[in-house]
Amino acid sequence: MYKPTYKKRTARMISWVCGSLFTLFSLLYLFVMQADLLATAQHLLSKGQTVYSPLWGAVVITLLLLLLQGVFRRIMVYPLRFHALYYFPSCVVLGLLTSIVPQTGWNVQLSTNWIWLTVCIFLYTLVTWTALHFPDRKNGKQNAFSFLWVNFLWLALQFCMVNSIANTKDVYHYRLKAERYLVEGQDSLALQVGAKLLQADRSLTAMRMFALSRENLLGEKLFDFPQYDGSQGLLPCFSDTTYTHDWTNALYKHLGGKPGKNMKDNTRFLELLSQRPSATAAAKDYLLCAYLLDKDLDAFVTVLPRCHEVNDNLPLHYKEALVLYNRLHTTPAITYKNSVIETNLNDFLHYGMQYTHATERSNQCRRMYGNTYWWYYYYQELPAQP
């Protein structure tokens, strides 16, 4: 006979294990993966009046989700094999809560794929129907593990559902984290966010450029990061109002001027700004980097002597550009010699000659020389003009 006491002990164990796993998942998910997203939501919805605490936020939200599970448990009665389904409403709420994206005017909206969420709810309804029509066997003593493994499966599927309906886009999360570090003045940490990956967008690139400039490393490490937007990636898009904090004011104060609403060409803006008395040294370096990103070596060489002495103390990418300029011009406006960099340029050019297919040559050269100006000059396509 299947003893009631054994069944109660098994039910308590399954309840405790499922609750512990859900609690652990929720805390780690909210505290580690989605803290910046929730901080964005609270900042926007409160119009900047409150500050989100990642630790306490994760704890409070998890407790509320556990309370929701408790309420749902009083409504539904699942067999032990389906005990983990009590957490389905909590998982849906958790996924929706972390699917937000910022919008214009201190607002947010959900980015959930509603069709996929509808499919998940439909599948959950089918499983619930099955659970209610095929209860646990009343006779015979079943091993507790036979109940545990199937509940582990239901929990794993629900955790995957949370991840699929939430906002888990890498670049977006990089932007939020980098922005937070910028506002806190931790530029070195901002530069470490997603530094080893090739994914980036214009906003993230602009944040990285600002951090490099404040660290006086713009001409030294510009091409340590992917540059897909040319000179347009140096500054944020004027129409982009999705930033959590207004770090752009600090950027334009750092440069000594701000572009007008109709100024869409960053290079032209930086040219005009560099002629004003308010222009800072950082603005002039921004202009030099804009020329490099536009692959306009003639303009770069024309402006460089106005900003820096042309010697071996120049930033690395300026020296790489000068060596390349001298290689491409028979009568250069500036003659610059650097045996080490010239050797590296020769190695780069010869290395690329080993590969006949253009795509393979680009990829292989990027692996070895992707952080040089030369790879950008020869292989990176320029975006369309604004």
Side-chain angles (χ1 to χ4, degrees):
M1 182 68 67
Y2 187 38
K3 297 182 179 179
T5 54
Y6 178 81
K7 185 175 182 180
K8 289 181 180 179
R9 287 199 303 269
T10 303
R12 283 197 298 267
M13 179 188 67
I14 292 174
S15 178
W16 182 86
V17 171
C18 289
S20 299
L21 289 176
F22 177 82
T23 301
L24 182 63
F25 170 79
S26 179
L27 288 173
L28 291 177
Y29 177 75
L30 292 169
F31 182 74
V32 176
M33 187 174 181
Q34 299 288 5
D36 291 304
L37 187 72
L38 294 173
T40 298
Q42 180 163 322
H43 179 84
L44 293 176
L45 293 175
S46 69
K47 294 181 170 53
Q49 299 302 310
T50 61
V51 178
Y52 177 77
S53 170
L55 178 59
W56 285 108
V59 170
V60 170
I61 292 172
T62 299
L63 290 175
L64 292 175
L65 294 175
L66 289 172
L67 179 62
L68 176 61
Q69 178 269 154
V71 172
F72 187 66
R73 194 169 176 176
R74 291 181 176 275
I75 300 173
M76 294 291 295
V77 179
Y78 283 113
L80 289 181
R81 303 191 321 277
F82 298 90
H83 181 88
L85 295 182
Y86 287 125
Y87 293 92
F88 182 82
S90 299
C91 286
V92 170
V93 172
L94 181 59
L96 291 175
L97 186 64
T98 53
S99 69
I100 60 171
V101 291
Q103 297 294 307
T104 304
W106 296 90
N107 203 357
V108 297
Q109 73 174 26
L110 301 181
S111 63
T112 302
N113 185 331
W114 296 103
I115 295 178
W116 171 241
L117 179 58
T118 302
V119 170
C120 291
I121 294 175
F122 175 74
L123 294 175
Y124 163 76
T125 304
L126 289 180
V127 173
T128 297
W129 182 89
T130 303
L132 297 179
H133 285 78
F134 297 94
D136 298 325
R137 289 184 297 171
K138 294 183 179 180
N139 297 321
K141 185 176 179 180
Q142 289 183 266
N143 191 312
F145 183 75
S146 64
F147 293 114
L148 279 176
W149 78 264
V150 72
N151 279 285
F152 290 160
L153 175 62
W154 296 130
L155 279 177
L157 290 174
Q158 290 174 107
F159 294 162
C160 290
M161 179 195 68
V162 171
N163 187 69
S164 67
I165 65 177
N167 187 345
T168 55
K169 297 177 181 177
D170 288 341
V171 173
Y172 180 72
H173 283 269
Y174 295 157
R175 281 179 54 179
L176 295 178
K177 189 176 292 292
E179 185 180 353
R180 174 165 59 85
Y181 286 140
L182 273 183
V183 173
E184 295 172 356
Q186 302 185 70
D187 298 318
S188 59
L189 292 179
L191 293 171
Q192 295 175 22
V193 177
K196 296 182 179 180
L197 301 179
L198 295 179
Q199 297 95 328
D201 62 10
R202 176 174 173 176
S203 299
L204 178 60
T205 300
M207 293 178 196
R208 288 169 168 171
M209 299 306 100
F210 183 28
L212 283 175
S213 182
R214 290 203 298 198
E215 294 281 296
N216 294 316
L217 293 172
L218 189 58
E220 192 76 23
K221 295 183 177 294
L222 174 66
F223 297 102
D224 281 10
F225 302 95
Q227 301 290 341
Y228 301 124
D229 299 286
S231 59
Q232 295 304 108
L234 286 172
L235 301 174
C237 180
F238 193 82
S239 62
D240 193 342
T241 58
T242 60
Y243 300 115
T244 309
H245 304 279
D246 195 7
W247 61 272
T248 56
N249 283 339
L251 166 63
Y252 295 123
K253 183 178 180 180
H254 177 70
L255 296 178
K258 183 176 182 179
K261 292 183 178 181
N262 297 323
M263 178 62 71
K264 297 182 179 180
D265 187 334
N266 284 348
T267 302
R268 183 57 183 158
F269 159 68
L270 292 167
E271 287 175 339
L272 296 173
L273 176 62
S274 65
Q275 299 172 12
R276 300 177 188 171
S278 62
T280 63
K284 296 175 182 179
D285 273 322
Y286 261 76
L287 176 59
L288 291 171
C289 289
Y291 287 139
L292 293 184
L293 291 167
D294 291 337
K295 302 184 183 181
D296 190 349
L297 290 177
D298 291 321
F300 171 79
V301 168
T302 300
V303 174
L304 179 63
R306 306 174 194 167
C307 308
H308 297 276
E309 291 187 23
V310 181
N311 55 36
D312 288 338
N313 293 324
L314 286 170
L316 174 62
H317 296 314
Y318 295 178
K319 292 186 287 187
E320 290 175 344
L322 280 176
V323 169
L324 178 60
Y325 169 80
N326 278 258
R327 177 67 60 90
L328 297 176
H329 291 73
T330 55
T331 56
I334 294 179
T335 301
Y336 177 77
K337 300 290 184 181
N338 186 308
S339 59
V340 174
I341 294 181
E342 288 172 1
T343 300
N344 290 339
L345 175 57
N346 289 330
D347 291 342
F348 165 76
L349 294 173
H350 284 98
Y351 186 79
M353 292 171 61
Q354 301 177 51
Y355 305 96
T356 56
H357 194 277
T359 302
E360 182 184 15
R361 183 165 61 251
S362 174
N363 291 337
Q364 293 297 331
C365 286
R366 185 168 200 164
R367 290 178 59 190
M368 298 295 295
Y369 298 95
N371 61 345
T372 67
Y373 177 61
W374 309 320
W375 184 90
Y376 178 87
Y377 185 87
Y378 281 101
Y379 296 109
Q380 181 64 59
E381 294 183 5
L382 291 179
Q385 293 297 318

